[in-house]
Amino acid sequence: MTPSLLMLILRLAAAAALLAFLGTILVYLRRDLHGKASENPALPAVFLVGSFDGELHRFPLRHLELVGRAADSTVVVADETVSAHHARLSFMGGHQWWLEDLGSRNGTMVNGVALEEPLAVTVGDEIGFGRVSFKIVARDEAVSEATPPGQGGSPS
């Protein structure tokens, strides 16, 4: 066997070992990604429902919602008592919604109590941003027939 043939065989063996190593890494990365995706439970289908501008508005809640008057907010509330970046709703820990006031001038209320620090909120809670009230409702509820926050009884 000539030295050049031996070098060719060694190079091919090294290339094959490198490809096998990279393939193994890719298989483990793929398994890890699929495992993490299956660990994260699905985001519950809930809406933030409120009445302002003379209309009933509903916003589907995703993992992170920024509530405010500014155009870059995900939940835009056109009311002068709502700050540009008023509050943040986050789905954290895979099972709980958290509400945080972002230093708004007119404050954030949950079920009639002023929010002073981040708080876990759930379906049925009423949230006030300035003078605008919202309610967290599940998709199962008839959102179009939902009672606007702050009004008791059934809509007529």
Side-chain angles (χ1 to χ4, degrees):
M1 187 181 290
T2 65
S4 59
L5 182 59
L6 181 61
M7 287 302 290
L8 177 62
I9 292 171
L10 288 175
R11 286 182 184 162
L12 289 176
L18 181 60
L19 286 175
F21 176 71
L22 291 175
T24 303
I25 289 175
L26 289 175
V27 166
Y28 280 108
L29 285 174
R30 182 175 176 183
R31 284 184 188 168
D32 189 49
L33 286 175
H34 284 294
K36 289 192 188 297
S38 64
E39 289 174 8
N40 292 335
L43 186 66
V46 295
F47 294 88
L48 196 57
V49 178
S51 184
F52 60 94
D53 292 340
E55 295 180 28
L56 187 66
H57 298 272
R58 69 180 186 149
F59 300 94
L61 294 180
R62 295 176 180 84
H63 283 283
L64 177 66
E65 301 294 347
L66 184 61
V67 180
R69 205 175 59 247
D72 66 340
S73 296
T74 50
V75 176
V76 178
V77 182
D79 186 89
E80 65 271 3
T81 63
V82 176
S83 297
H85 296 115
H86 197 100
R88 178 181 314 135
L89 264 166
S90 321
F91 190 69
M92 295 177 13
H95 65 281
Q96 188 68 54
W97 285 100
W98 286 86
L99 177 65
E100 175 184 9
D101 186 84
L102 299 177
S104 64
R105 178 179 296 167
N106 293 313
T108 301
M109 306 279 283
V110 177
N111 298 324
V113 179
L115 183 67
E116 295 180 13
E117 58 187 34
L119 178 70
V121 292
T122 189
V123 171
D125 283 344
E126 288 193 18
I127 303 172
F129 306 108
R131 67 177 176 212
V132 179
S133 293
F134 285 89
K135 186 173 185 177
I136 299 177
V137 298
R139 176 179 22 181
D140 297 343
E141 294 182 33
V143 176
S144 60
E145 298 175 14
T147 304
Q151 298 179 7
S154 59
S156 42

